[in-house]
Amino acid sequence: MPANTAESAAMERAFSLALRGPRGINPQVGAVILSPDGDILAEGWHRGAGTPHAEVDALSKLAPGEAGGATAVVTLEPCNHTGRTGPCSEALLDAGVARVVYAVDDPGDASSGGAERLRAAGVEVEAGVRADEGRALLRDWLEVQRLGRPRVTVKWAQSLDGRAAADDGTSKWITGPVARADVHVRRAGADAIVVGTGTLLADDPALTARQPDGSLSDHQPRPVVLGARAVPAAAAVHRHPLPLLHRDGRDLAAVLEELGGLGVQRVFVEGGPTLASAFVRAGFADEVLAYIAPVLLGGARLALGDLGVDTIAQARRLSVASVERLGDDLLIVATMQHEGEN
């Protein structure tokens, strides 16, 4: 039976509850328990790895038997496996829930199957309620499940003729203040920001996300520096509110795996050209942000280096998602199509 008005409203409430939980290895999930008359009996959300899942959190606020005949409205399909906590499908069955409404199917091989388990036990299940909103809420987590690693955005700023710096190495500032402010907004949306030691030693970046007035944004990406050279003790990155992760960067897959294990879902690669090229060449660039300034520099300091492209047939082709004017500059956002994708 399709979701009724009370269940749709409860799903909207569950979305807002989900956002109270932390981003990380586990998805943000919210749950609302409705009485047979459509009244809210309890609410819950997932507070992070090792804590009760949203459904169990909501059920814990009810007396034994109070959920009998109730409807559970959940943003993600109830899990069907035992990890740090037990399966939510079994908890719902034990509580006597008669109907389950959820937005998004669980993509995990081990954790999915909760809907099937509930139906087999006689519980009415309605899937895909407000699914577009549910997928938007879980977009980054779902992408991590699909890719098996964090989603990577590679950003660079360049002159109109494709240079990242003048021949003497200076690059502040190729783009204008509007474009630079946009970068900080996107930094604040990431979980980790990555630069190479060359950029760190040349520019001494703080790697923080800042507001136009210079104050720190509420959300900060974790600073990551890749390269064999040492990070100076006086480097600005040491004053970042989050601890620095410094790796030699020779194994980008291992770096992404480590970041994923730390709960990172979105990685923002700021370069320089050597590092940006390495991520593209390795096939780890999912999105590209190219900030293009109306200046000409010439010279050898290209925005990208060797990508492993020897002939036009090997060109890395992208799909342009948007083109935006930022002051005098342009921002082109493009997505990379990986091998095997349609």
Side-chain angles (χ1 to χ4, degrees), residues 61-74:
K61 297 166 185 173
L62 298 176
E66 194 175 355
T71 295
V73 179
V74 195

Side-chain angles (χ1 to χ4, degrees), residues 13-14 19 39 41 53-54 59 87 114 132 147 174 204 228 251 261 327 338:
R13 174 61 179 167
L19 292 173
D39 298 323
L41 297 175
H53 289 188
L59 291 171
D132 288 345
L147 294 169
I174 289 177
D204 193 26
D251 188 342
H338 298 300

Side-chain angles (χ1 to χ4, degrees), residues 182-199:
D182 184 78
V183 171
H184 281 278
V185 171
R186 295 176 187 273
R187 283 185 181 184
D191 302 311
I193 180 170
V194 184
V195 298
T197 50
T199 294

Side-chain angles (χ1 to χ4, degrees), residues 133-216:
E133 294 165 82
R135 283 190 290 268
L137 170 73
L138 293 170
R139 182 190 66 176
D140 296 314
W141 180 81
L142 290 170
E143 188 76 347
V144 170
Q145 310 316 301
R146 183 180 71 83
L147 294 169
R149 58 168 175 79
R151 177 175 172 83
V152 176
T153 294
V154 177
K155 166 263 175 184
W156 65 81
Q158 66 172 63
S159 62
L160 196 59
D161 55 345
R163 271 63 182 178
D167 261 350
D168 66 353
T170 55
S171 60
K172 290 186 176 180
W173 297 101
I174 289 177
T175 55
V178 179
R180 297 198 299 273
D182 184 78
V183 171
H184 281 278
V185 171
R186 295 176 187 273
R187 283 185 181 184
D191 302 311
I193 180 170
V194 184
V195 298
T197 50
T199 294
L200 183 108
L201 294 172
D203 297 339
D204 193 26
L207 301 185
T208 51
R210 298 185 295 279
Q211 302 286 349
D213 63 4
S215 62
L216 293 180

